[in-house]
Structure formats: structure tokens, C-alpha cells
Amino acid sequence: MGAWAIAVHGGAGVDPNLPKERQEEAKRLLTRCLDIGISALRSNLPAIDVVELVVRELETDPLFNSGRGSALTENGTVEMEASIMDGPKRRCGAVSGLTTVKNPVSLARLVMEKSPHSYLAFSGAEEFAKKQGVEMVDNEYFITEDNVGMLKLAKEANSILFDYRIPAVGTCGAGAAMDSPLQMNGLPISVYAPETVGCVVVDKQGRCAAATSTGGLMNKMSGRIGDSPLIGSGTYASELCGVSCTGEGEAIIRSTLAREVSAVMEYKRLNLHEAVDYVIKNRLDEGKAGLIAVSKDGEVACGFNTTGMFRGCATEDGFMEVGVW
């Protein structure tokens, strides 16, 4: 029997001017989610059940960018995506383009367990959801007043609003804001929007699991798919570790960031903290992102090269931490 560990995130990249009240609200939500996960782990739920449970909670609360509170497309609608992966047999499920599924992460799990496929999207995913009897709601349920206002700002600026600001490199630590312009695939973008969510868990049996969920970018093109539902990019779990990423989706996709953590642990024989530090510093090129990770040995780590990352983690020995910067 090993030791359990859990980490959650609410997105990499935090506006340095974010009001203290919003910071504290985020910390309270992350703490609540950690408490839910800890209780489940103490009840001996397997890691895959715990990551789904925690991400469902994050999707239901409108504070972060997943489920209710998701970022809006250029058309003012919500298109959500999520993925989940179970490390022991590398089983996985992913969904994109959801508009009426209340909890995308649970549909991703159903794709993993109740379909012959690993990834369903748009109308096919919605039809599968109906057949599985998952809870469906009107698209308006996911739209918040804050995000309507943010979309208006994005349209006025003729830009995409992103979920981080330019940083100095940090690993579980603070960075300093910089004023240089951000680009995505060579095109300038503006800088602040709601944040992606994710959870990684290792249970007492050493089984790792990971799940990630998001509404994507504010003012994104309809049909855009980011890293969150892509296994190996935004989410990955193996017999060695579980990883969930957040930040510039295009950069995370190019670097297959989540899989890279597992790969350098396997091939370079790095421990979890070394692996996370290595991929953040060497695999993102000019991209900006962060990640959370756990190992089969009960380690937990996070890394980011943005100004901050909403995150929390806990281990069986009583350690618990929630941070922003």
C-alpha cells in the first residue's frame, strides 16, 4: 500500500491586478475541491473516481472556465471540452464541442467506459450523451454575466482573450508580470480570461488518474479545439504519473506537454519534480503554460511559466497547500 496524493488547478495565468476578493474566492473553491478529494481518497475510492468527482465540482461552480462559467465563442455560445485518463491500463475518454451537457468530464468518462472510441465531438458527442442519459441543460445555463462582458471587450478589441499574462519562469512560485505582447501561432492576442480546470490523483494502490475540463478561449472561433481534450497534450496518466495542463493550448498541443512529463520520467529516469521542471523549461518554446502532476509513489508537483496558477495540493502525510502566485 502506498500513499495517496491529489492536486487541482483552476488555470495557469493570473492577472496581477486581480482583486484580492477574487483571489480568496478562488482559494476557497480550490480548498473545497481538495477536501472533497481527500474525503473520497480516505474512503478508498479509486483515483479515476476521485478526479471525476473533483472536476465535476469545478464544472458546477461558475468561478473558473469549465461547465457553467465557460468562455464564450465569437457567436456568444459555449462549446466545452474535457478528457479523463486512467493510468493503469491507459484507458481514456475525451469530448469536444459540447453545448448542453452539464458535466463534460462525466461524458468523457462514459466515452471511455461505454463506447468503442476514445474521443467524440460536437453533434456525435451530444447524441451519445442523450443515449447515456446524462444531465442536459440549455446552453444559457453555462453563460455568466461576467463572461458576456468579457466577450464584449474582446470583440471591441477584435482579439481573443487569453487565460494568463506574460510571466517569468517559476515552479510552484511567483513570477513577475511583463508588458510585451502575446502571440498565438504568430498572431497577437489580448490577455485575460477565465481559467481551465483539472485534477490529478494517485490512490493508495499507486493508481494514477487525470482529468481536465474547459470552455476554451474567450471569443474563439466556433469549432476551435484546444489541448484539454487531447490525450497526451492537456491530459495524461500512466503507471508512472498523472498530469493535467493549462495555459496556451496551441503550445501545449505542439509539445504534447502532459505525455512529456511521463516520458522524461521513463526515459531520462527523472523523478516527478525534476520531470515537471524539465518540461516547463525545455518543451514550451515560447509558449506559456502550467501543469499539475502526481506520481505513483505519492509525490505531487506543479510547474508554470506564467505570472501565477490557481492550484492546490494535498498528500496523505497531512501536507496541504493552496496558492495563486
Side-chain angles (χ1 to χ4, degrees):
M1 296 285 284
W4 57 257
I6 180 173
V8 297
H9 73 73
V14 183
D15 185 344
N17 299 312
L18 190 67
K20 286 286 186 183
E21 313 87 77
R22 173 66 186 266
Q23 295 180 40
E24 293 306 313
E25 188 180 4
K27 288 180 181 179
R28 287 193 296 271
L29 174 56
L30 293 169
T31 300
R32 186 171 84 234
C33 289
L34 281 178
D35 288 339
I36 289 170
I38 290 167
S39 177
L41 285 162
R42 287 173 175 166
S43 300
N44 295 316
L45 262 66
I48 191 69
D49 288 353
V50 181
V51 294
E52 180 188 5
L53 183 68
V54 170
V55 172
R56 281 179 62 95
E57 182 71 14
L58 288 162
E59 289 174 338
T60 302
D61 192 293
L63 184 63
F64 293 135
N65 176 14
S66 67
R68 187 163 181 260
S70 285
L72 306 180
T73 70
E74 60 187 356
N75 300 322
T77 59
V78 165
E79 293 179 3
M80 300 167 291
E81 47 198 26
S83 62
I84 191 167
M85 189 164 186
D86 194 13
K89 294 185 178 179
R90 303 191 192 194
R91 299 182 307 143
C92 60
V95 289
S96 286
L98 300 182
T99 59
T100 62
V101 175
K102 187 174 182 181
N103 290 108
V105 70
S106 292
L107 186 63
R109 184 165 183 186
L110 287 169
V111 170
M112 177 178 77
E113 296 184 339
K114 302 293 185 181
S115 86
H117 307 302
S118 295
Y119 195 163
L120 294 175
F122 295 92
S123 61
E126 294 274 335
E127 186 61 32
F128 176 72
K130 292 174 185 175
K131 290 178 180 178
Q132 293 299 316
V134 304
E135 187 172 1
M136 315 282 279
V137 293
D138 291 337
N139 196 255
E140 289 73 18
Y141 162 84
F142 303 104
I143 299 173
T144 65
E145 186 177 340
D146 283 349
N147 285 345
V148 170
M150 208 173 291
L151 178 64
K152 182 174 183 292
L153 290 175
K155 286 188 174 296
E156 288 172 353
N158 192 29
S159 64
I160 296 168
L161 289 181
F162 216 28
D163 62 351
Y164 63 83
R165 286 184 181 260
I166 294 189
V169 172
T171 299
C172 286
M178 298 164 61
D179 294 325
S180 24
L182 284 174
Q183 291 192 340
M184 181 191 297
N185 287 343
L187 299 175
I189 57 172
S190 199
V191 287
Y192 180 66
E195 303 84 10
T196 296
V197 305
C199 179
V200 293
V201 167
V202 58
D203 59 28
K204 288 183 179 180
Q205 283 69 44
R207 297 172 297 201
C208 297
T212 311
S213 181
T214 190
L217 300 175
M218 186 68 70
N219 200 28
K220 66 183 180 181
M221 293 174 63
S222 181
R224 182 261 185 183
I225 294 172
D227 67 286
S228 296
L230 300 185
I231 299 301
S233 292
T235 304
Y236 192 74
S238 66
E239 70 282 3
L240 294 175
C241 63
V243 184
S244 174
C245 301
T246 173
E248 184 186 340
E250 280 65 15
I252 294 169
I253 292 168
R254 292 194 302 270
S255 62
T256 57
L257 196 66
R259 162 63 182 159
E260 196 71 5
V261 174
S262 182
V264 297
M265 290 180 70
E266 181 176 357
Y267 301 129
K268 293 177 74 71
R269 304 297 181 186
L270 301 184
N271 66 36
L272 184 71
H273 292 273
E274 292 169 339
V276 168
D277 185 62
Y278 180 86
V279 301
I280 291 293
K281 288 181 178 177
N282 296 287
R283 290 294 182 263
L284 281 168
D285 301 318
E286 296 180 357
K288 306 301 176 186
L291 63 84
I292 54 173
V294 293
S295 77
K296 65 180 179 62
D297 299 319
E299 302 167 296
V300 62
C302 70
F304 53 93
N305 65 358
T306 57
T307 52
M309 181 169 71
F310 292 111
R311 67 200 184 278
C313 60
T315 56
E316 191 171 8
D317 63 10
F319 172 78
M320 184 171 174
E321 180 181 69
V322 174
V324 177
W325 309 110

